[in-house]
Amino acid sequence: MSKPPLRVLALSLSLAYPLLHALPARADDAPAPAAAPAADTPPATGTPLPTVQVTGARNRLDAARNGLSPDTGSTIYKFEKADIARLPQGDDTPLNQVLLQTPGVVQDSYGGLHVRGDHANLQYRINGVVIPEAISGFGQTLETRFADSISLLTGALPAQYGYRTAGIVDITTKGVDAESKPFAGSVGVTVGTQRSRELDLTLHGTQGRLSYEFSGSYLGNDLGIENPTASRNALHDRTHQRKGFGLVSYLLDDDSRISAMAGVTDNRFQIPNSPGQSTSFSLAGAPDKDSSTLDARQRERNRFAVVSYQSVIGSDIDYQVSLFHRTTDVHYTPDPVGDLQYLGVAADILRRNEANGAQADLSWRLNSAHTLRTGLFAQREHASTANNAQVFPADDDGNQTSTTPISIADSGRLGGHLWGAYLQDEWKLDRALTLNYGVRYDQVDTVTKEHQLSPRLGVVWDATPTLRVHAGYARYFTPPPTEKIDTTSVAAFAGTTNALPSDANTAVRAERSNYYDAGAAWQVTPKLTLGIDGYYRAVQHLQDEGQFGNALIYSAFNYAHGKIYGVDLSATYKESSWSAYLNLGTVHARATQVETGQFNFEQDELAFIADHWVHLDHEQKLSASAGGNVRLPDGYALGASAVFGSGLRNGFANTTHLPSYTSVNADISKRFDFGGGGPVEARLSVLNLFDRTYQLRDGSGIGVGAPQYGQRRTVYVSLTKEF
C-alpha cells in the first residue's frame, strides 16, 4: 500500500547495533517472535481484520517502533515485567527505586537520583516518545505498574539522544498478543505502617483494531518527605498522591496506527517539622510558635498528553510523528507566622511551566550493511514564577530593624524554544563489528541563546560469542532546565531579612561536555554475566541544582568547569527458579568557579570555589546494589534487595561527606489460583529490614536545605487480584 511521502526535516547518525546489555540476566535477549503473515489483500474498509492479522500488524509496528529508538549506547540496563515483580514491592515499587537497582545510580533526598555523577539530567520516554520534564519536587510523576519493561540507557549515547543525557529512561507499555482479551486488568490494595494505604487499578484489552491501557492509583501515608530528624515517625509529614495514565491505540491498516496517551499527577505534601528549634526573628503581636506545630505545605501537579502517528514508506522506511503538551506546577504555601519567626521570610511561591512540541523519527534500511536514522525535536515553553513574600526590614548586616513585616511581590516570566535534528548511520562492517557514527544540531533560546553541532561515534565488537566490547565518544549539549530557572530579583529584597548574599548573573548557560566511554560484557556461563564500564567527562559550564531559600524547590546554576569519571561493575545470575544480581559503582565529580546564580551563595563560599576544585554535592564515591529472588513450590516466593552508599557530600563547600549506610528490603509472596476468577497474589514487604538510621543530607553543603534521614523500617501487606 503506497504512503504519502514524509518530508524529512533533519538527519543523524547512531550506534545501531544491539548494544552492550550489561545485565542480560534481567532481560530476554531472544529476538521478538516473528509477526504473523498478513493477508495479501487487505479487507475492505469497515470489515474487521482477522485476529491473527491484527495481532501480526501490531507486533510488526511494535518492532518498527523499537527500530526507531534502538537500544544503542554504551550500556543498557533493562527490567522486564518479571524482573520488576521480583523486587520486594513488586509493581508498587516507585520508579526511582527500580532505577536504583542499576550500577552508577545514587539516591538523594526527595526521591532524587544521580546517574554517573550528574545532578538529575534524566530524560523520560514512553514508547520512544520524549515526555517533557516536570518541575522537580518530592513525588514521582510516572509509575512502574503500567510498564511492560523499563530501560536505562547511559554512557556515550548515539546522536538520536539529546538534551538530558545522564540517562535515558524508556518505558515500554504493555504489548498485545494473540491471547489478549477485550477486557482484563488487576486491582490491588496495600496497607502498612506510618498509616500507609494505597489503592491501584489497571485495565487493558483489545477489540478488533482498538487496544487500550489504563492505570490509576491513590497513595496516602506519613512518609511524604524524608524525616528531618532521626525519629521513627516524622511530625507533619502526611502526603496524598494521585496518579493516572491512559493509552489508546487504533490500527488504521496493516502498516499504520494512531495512538494517544495522557498522564496526570496530583501530589500534596506537608513539610515535616523539627521540634525544639529556636526562633530567629520577632513578629509583632505573635508569641513564639512551637517549631513542631508549623504548617507549611507543597502541592505538585503534572499533566501531559501525546498523539502519535506511525507508518511506513515502502518496505524499508519506518517513521513516527508525535505531538505533545505538558503543564507542570509546584506551589509552596508557608506557615505565615512560623516561617517569619524562624526564617525571616514567609513566601507563597508558585512555579509553573507549559510546553508544546513535536518529535519525528525515521529509520531507513539502505541495505544489509547500512541503516540510516534521522529525526527532529522541537519544543516551545512558557514559564512563570509568582512569589508573594512577607519579610522584615533589615540593616546591612541582615539584622531585623522592625517587627512589622512588609509585603514584596516578586514575579517573573520567561519563554523560548528548543529544537534539534540528528542524522546517524548504523554500519555493519562485518558480522562481529558495528560502527555507529552521527551528528546532531541543537539550538536553545530561553534565558540563554546558544547552539551546538555535536558529533557522536561508537563501535561494538563481538570479540567472541560470549564477549562483547564497546567504546564511544559523544559531544553533549545540555540546555538549562527552564522550569528550574530562579527569577528572584536581587534588588527587590535588598534591605530585608530575605536579602540575597550577592548580586549575580541569573542567566543559566547551556552545559557542554565531551564524554568518553568504554566497556565489556562477558557471558561466563549461560546463567552468569559480568559487566564493566568506564567513563570520563570533561565539562564546560557544568549545570548543578540546589535548594536555595525557604521553599523546597530546586534552582539551577553553573560552574565554569567540571570533570567527572568513574567505573561501573555488574554481575547477574539467573535460573528458572531463582536469580541474583550485584552492582558496584565508583565516581569522582568535581567542579570549580560558580559563574551563574552566585546570589545563592555566601561570599566566603564563592571565593573558595573560585580557587579550588570542589566535590559536587551529589558525589558519592562508592555505591552498590544487590538483590535476589527465589521461586518456591506452591506459588511461594522470597526476595530481598539492598542499597549501599558511602555518603553524599556535606560541610563547607562540600569538603566532607556523610557516613556510609546500608539498607535492606525483603518480601515473601504467595500466589493463589482459584480457577476461572483469575489469580490473587498476597505479599508481605519490609523496607529497611534492620531499621538502620542514616542520613541522606544533614543540611550542609552547596545548595542543600534541611536535613533528611532515610526511611525507617516500614511494613506493607498487599493483595492484588487479576481478572
Side-chain angles (χ1 to χ4, degrees):
M1 180 177 291
S2 62
K3 297 291 169 188
L6 176 69
R7 188 168 296 177
V8 180
L9 301 174
L11 307 168
S12 144
L13 316 128
S14 153
L15 284 171
Y17 202 74
L19 223 324
L20 175 60
H21 282 252
L23 293 182
R26 293 190 190 167
D28 252 312
D29 286 338
D40 292 336
T41 304
T45 303
T47 303
L49 296 173
T51 301
V52 172
Q53 182 178 336
V54 172
T55 302
R58 287 197 178 100
N59 289 340
R60 190 164 52 252
L61 288 168
D62 285 344
R65 184 175 61 200
N66 292 337
L68 292 170
S69 300
D71 292 337
T72 58
S74 57
T75 308
I76 180 171
Y77 306 102
K78 190 169 186 178
F79 296 86
E80 301 289 357
K81 192 71 175 174
D83 303 315
I84 297 170
R86 293 187 184 100
L87 296 173
Q89 289 183 273
D91 284 350
D92 292 336
T93 307
L95 181 58
N96 64 329
Q97 295 298 314
V98 174
L99 300 175
L100 200 58
Q101 306 304 313
T102 57
V105 180
V106 173
Q107 70 172 333
D108 203 342
S109 54
Y110 309 149
L113 293 176
H114 308 295
V115 178
R116 293 189 170 186
D118 243 317
H119 188 110
N121 195 24
L122 294 175
Q123 181 182 123
Y124 292 87
R125 295 183 172 213
I126 300 178
N127 294 336
V129 180
V130 176
I131 303 300
E133 58 197 303
I135 299 175
S136 296
F138 309 130
Q140 300 291 300
T141 300
L142 302 175
E143 286 196 295
T144 301
R145 62 173 48 88
F146 69 76
D148 189 62
S149 66
I150 300 172
S151 299
L152 173 63
L153 180 65
T154 185
L157 304 176
Q160 180 165 0
Y161 301 100
Y163 314 124
R164 308 291 166 235
T165 51
I168 309 297
V169 180
D170 199 351
I171 300 172
T172 302
T173 57
K174 292 181 174 64
V176 178
D177 55 41
E179 297 181 0
S180 294
K181 303 175 183 178
F183 182 79
S186 67
V187 60
V189 58
T190 300
V191 296
T193 54
Q194 280 82 28
R195 294 199 299 162
S196 296
R197 64 184 186 275
E198 183 172 10
L199 303 173
D200 64 83
L201 172 69
T202 63
L203 300 172
H204 56 88
T206 62
Q207 184 65 51
R209 300 170 182 265
L210 182 71
S211 62
Y212 67 92
E213 177 180 353
F214 170 79
S215 173
S217 69
Y218 164 79
L219 171 67
N221 60 42
D222 290 338
L223 298 164
I225 305 173
E226 285 85 0
N227 193 342
T229 73
S231 63
R232 175 178 298 278
N233 299 309
L235 294 174
H236 195 259
D237 200 13
R238 191 70 184 163
T239 182
H240 299 277
Q241 303 178 30
R242 298 170 178 86
K243 299 181 179 70
F245 173 80
L247 184 149
V248 177
S249 178
Y250 187 77
L251 192 66
L252 299 173
D253 54 43
D254 283 0
D255 297 320
S256 61
R257 65 180 169 189
I258 188 169
S259 303
M261 61 179 169
V264 60
T265 303
D266 189 347
N267 297 334
R268 298 170 185 258
F269 299 90
Q270 294 177 333
I271 307 301
N273 298 327
S274 298
Q277 304 299 306
S278 299
T279 60
S280 301
F281 302 89
S282 298
L283 176 62
D288 288 352
K289 191 166 187 176
D290 187 340
S291 63
S292 65
T293 64
L294 302 180
D295 189 23
R297 299 169 182 263
Q298 187 156 299
R299 184 179 185 182
E300 304 165 4
R301 297 183 297 179
N302 187 60
R303 297 165 294 282
F304 68 87
V306 179
V307 176
S308 301
Y309 175 73
Q310 182 186 356
S311 190
V312 303
I313 300 176
S315 60
D316 296 318
I317 298 177
D318 302 304
Y319 68 92
Q320 179 171 275
V321 179
S322 303
L323 303 176
F324 61 80
H325 169 81
R326 189 267 291 128
T327 59
T328 177
D329 61 67
V330 172
H331 188 190
Y332 174 81
T333 306
D335 183 302
V337 173
D339 279 27
L340 275 170
Q341 291 180 339
Y342 286 92
L343 303 171
V345 54
D348 187 299
I349 300 176
L350 173 64
R351 281 192 184 179
R352 189 176 187 275
N353 184 279
E354 180 177 353
N356 296 283
Q359 177 184 342
D361 297 285
L362 179 145
S363 175
W364 182 8
R365 294 172 293 279
L366 293 177
N367 50 49
S368 60
H370 292 275
T371 299
L372 291 181
R373 292 185 176 91
T374 184
L376 172 71
F377 179 88
Q379 176 176 288
R380 181 78 181 177
E381 289 184 275
H382 299 278
S384 63
T385 300
N387 181 356
N388 297 302
Q390 292 281 313
V391 295
F392 296 112
D395 58 25
D396 292 340
D397 296 323
N399 298 312
Q400 175 180 8
T401 59
S402 172
T403 59
T404 301
I406 59 175
S407 298
I408 295 178
D410 181 33
S411 300
R413 293 179 176 273
L414 60 92
H417 68 262
L418 168 70
W419 75 273
Y422 70 90
L423 173 64
Q424 60 192 27
D425 177 30
E426 171 188 342
W427 183 9
K428 295 183 182 293
L429 297 168
D430 60 35
R431 297 180 63 180
L433 187 64
T434 301
L435 177 68
N436 291 272
Y437 59 100
V439 66
R440 67 175 297 122
Y441 175 82
D442 299 293
Q443 183 184 93
V444 61
D445 185 2
T446 52
V447 292
T448 184
K449 187 172 184 179
E450 301 180 66
H451 60 88
Q452 180 174 289
L453 189 67
S454 306
R456 309 285 177 87
L457 178 67
V459 62
V460 178
W461 176 39
D462 286 321
T464 72
T466 60
L467 178 63
R468 175 170 291 177
V469 180
H470 77 273
Y473 163 77
R475 175 71 172 166
Y476 285 148
F477 177 80
T478 305
T482 307
E483 69 281 355
K484 297 174 187 174
I485 302 301
D486 194 333
T487 59
T488 301
S489 170
V490 175
F493 290 98
T496 73
T497 49
N498 192 43
L500 300 169
S502 65
D503 204 345
N505 172 20
T506 60
V508 180
R509 301 189 62 178
E511 177 182 291
R512 304 167 187 265
S513 62
N514 294 304
Y515 197 114
Y516 305 89
D517 179 271
W522 178 30
Q523 191 161 4
V524 183
T525 72
K527 300 174 182 178
L528 175 64
T529 302
L530 304 178
I532 182 171
D533 205 83
Y535 56 93
Y536 176 83
R537 189 158 68 98
V539 192
Q540 293 177 301
H541 317 303
L542 184 145
Q543 286 181 20
D544 201 353
E545 300 170 11
Q547 180 209 318
F548 302 102
N550 62 310
L552 303 183
I553 301 174
Y554 283 106
S555 297
F557 66 96
N558 293 101
Y559 292 99
H561 305 283
K563 51 186 177 184
I564 301 173
Y565 56 93
V567 176
D568 293 335
L569 303 172
S570 64
T572 60
Y573 188 90
K574 198 170 190 179
E575 291 190 354
S576 58
S577 60
W578 72 279
S579 61
Y581 62 91
L582 172 65
N583 303 310
L584 296 172
T586 180
V587 63
H588 296 264
R590 300 188 181 188
T592 186
Q593 301 174 19
V594 177
E595 63 177 355
T596 63
Q598 295 95 333
F599 61 86
N600 289 310
F601 296 81
E602 299 291 345
Q603 285 295 343
D604 57 345
E605 199 170 42
L606 282 174
F608 183 87
I609 299 171
D611 295 330
H612 296 80
W613 283 85
V614 298
H615 300 272
L616 299 180
D617 71 285
H618 50 269
E619 178 200 76
Q620 181 168 265
K621 285 195 174 180
L622 182 63
S623 60
S625 59
N629 183 275
V630 58
R631 299 289 174 176
L632 302 174
D634 301 323
Y636 285 95
L638 296 172
S641 67
V643 172
F644 167 83
S646 60
L648 296 169
R649 307 300 301 190
N650 68 343
F652 174 78
N654 299 335
T655 50
T656 57
H657 67 84
L658 290 161
S660 62
Y661 65 89
T662 302
S663 181
V664 177
N665 305 329
D667 79 300
I668 180 171
S669 63
K670 164 69 174 172
R671 193 172 179 86
F672 303 91
D673 194 343
F674 298 110
V680 175
E681 183 180 78
R683 186 187 297 257
L684 172 66
S685 306
V686 184
L687 306 188
N688 196 351
L689 178 65
F690 302 109
D691 200 25
R692 302 297 188 192
T693 301
Y694 62 95
Q695 276 190 302
L696 293 170
R697 295 292 191 181
D698 69 353
S700 67
I702 299 172
V704 178
Q708 292 103 28
Y709 282 80
Q711 184 174 337
R712 297 289 296 273
R713 182 191 292 135
T714 310
V715 180
Y716 298 107
V717 176
S718 63
L719 289 174
T720 303
K721 174 70 170 68
E722 297 180 11
F723 53 85

